Amino acid sequence: GENVEQHPSTLSVQEGDSAVIKCTYSDSASNYFPWYKQELGKRPQLIIDIRSNVGEKKDQRIAVTLNKTAKHFSLHITETQPEDSAVYFCAASIPGNQFYFGTGTSLTVIP
Amino acid sequence: NAGVTQTPKFRILKIGQSMTLQCTQDMNHNYMYWYRQDPGMGLKLIYYSVGAGITDKGEVPNGYNVSRSTTEDFPLRLELAAPSQTSVYFCASSSPANTGELFFGEGSRLTVL
């Protein structure tokens, strides 16, 4: 099955700085790569996603890049704010809509 | 739409007891999933279903069973609960006809003592 690795496991940044979280995947058949944000005690919620036919996608302060050759994708958050503090999960989906998640990154934005 | 609804939100079980976590979605999604979330371990797929009458094992199916008699419902059964099953359980659904996005329930926190 698919194996998704995520780094770093924890990340602290000053408010206004950028944060980058990286993931790698093993199955070249994976074709959909969502990122989820999970606040403490809440359910994961989709923040951005990218499909395998696209190299980059941006939504305001959040962007995701995908390198299919190297099998890695990254989440970039610019101008971080305290409300960005949460756990972020990457995921890879293989055909058939099976989703495999990374182990999460706990992001802390220091005011 | 209520989305994905899970019950109960919290439950404490004794070792050896059994219980069922209920999951219902009202979005007419074909795909439904059960994940467990342990601290620092991300989300692990327990079972999934691509439609009524069809279920498949995920990464960590041992100790669990599922059924999918209708499109809406996907209950997860724990037989002979063990402390290793202490976790937060999330039900989710998706429709490949749309974005493929996973919609999660609010989670069920289970403690086995």
Side-chain angles (χ1 to χ4, degrees):
Chain A
E2 172 67 282
N3 182 45
V4 178
E5 296 190 355
Q6 182 172 348
H7 300 280
S9 56
T10 59
L11 180 60
S12 292
V13 299
Q14 291 291 134
E15 183 178 357
D17 286 350
S18 294
V20 180
I21 302 170
K22 298 182 178 182
C23 289
T24 60
Y25 62 98
S26 61
D27 193 335
S28 57
S30 290
N31 58 7
Y32 174 62
F33 306 90
W35 286 87
Y36 285 82
K37 177 183 180 182
Q38 186 179 30
E39 296 176 344
L40 190 63
K42 300 289 183 65
R43 74 187 90 186
Q45 297 209 303
L46 180 72
I47 55 170
I48 196 168
D49 55 14
I50 192 167
R51 297 198 177 272
S52 58
N53 59 349
V54 176
E56 185 173 356
K57 183 177 179 180
K58 189 173 182 180
D59 183 3
Q60 298 182 351
R61 297 185 297 108
I62 295 173
V64 57
T65 59
L66 171 65
N67 183 327
K68 282 194 300 182
T69 303
K71 295 197 188 73
H72 66 70
F73 56 114
S74 301
L75 177 72
H76 305 252
I77 306 174
T78 58
E79 301 172 20
T80 53
Q81 301 167 3
E83 52 264 39
D84 294 330
S85 295
V87 178
Y88 291 81
F89 291 97
C90 63
S93 175
I94 63 174
N97 266 41
Q98 291 179 55
F99 292 80
Y100 295 86
F101 285 81
T103 49
T105 296
S106 178
L107 174 64
T108 301
V109 179
I110 304 165
Chain B
N1 285 354
V4 180
T5 303
Q6 284 179 240
T7 57
K9 288 187 169 53
F10 302 94
R11 182 74 187 267
I12 298 174
L13 281 180
K14 293 183 179 178
I15 294 172
Q17 287 186 319
S18 300
M19 74 159 297
T20 299
L21 297 175
Q22 302 291 344
C23 178
T24 299
Q25 54 93 8
D26 61 359
M27 297 174 282
N28 201 31
H29 285 170
N30 309 86
Y31 292 75
M32 295 189 74
Y33 313 80
W34 275 105
Y35 286 91
R36 60 176 287 171
Q37 184 175 34
D38 300 321
M41 297 298 291
L43 291 142
K44 293 291 187 183
L45 181 63
I46 305 171
Y47 270 95
Y48 67 101
S49 168
V50 302
I54 306 169
T55 62
D56 259 309
K57 295 178 180 179
E59 302 168 272
V60 289
N62 291 347
Y64 307 94
N65 276 300
V66 294
S67 60
R68 185 94 181 271
S69 56
T70 66
T71 299
E72 295 78 17
D73 301 308
F74 191 42
L76 177 71
R77 177 86 177 158
L78 281 72
E79 305 281 1
L80 298 175
S84 61
Q85 293 178 304
T86 294
S87 190
V88 179
Y89 292 84
F90 286 98
C91 180
S93 71
S94 74
S95 171
N98 297 329
T99 63
E101 176 185 352
L102 272 179
F103 292 84
F104 285 90
E106 291 186 328
S108 299
R109 183 175 294 276
L110 176 67
T111 303
V112 182
L113 300 174

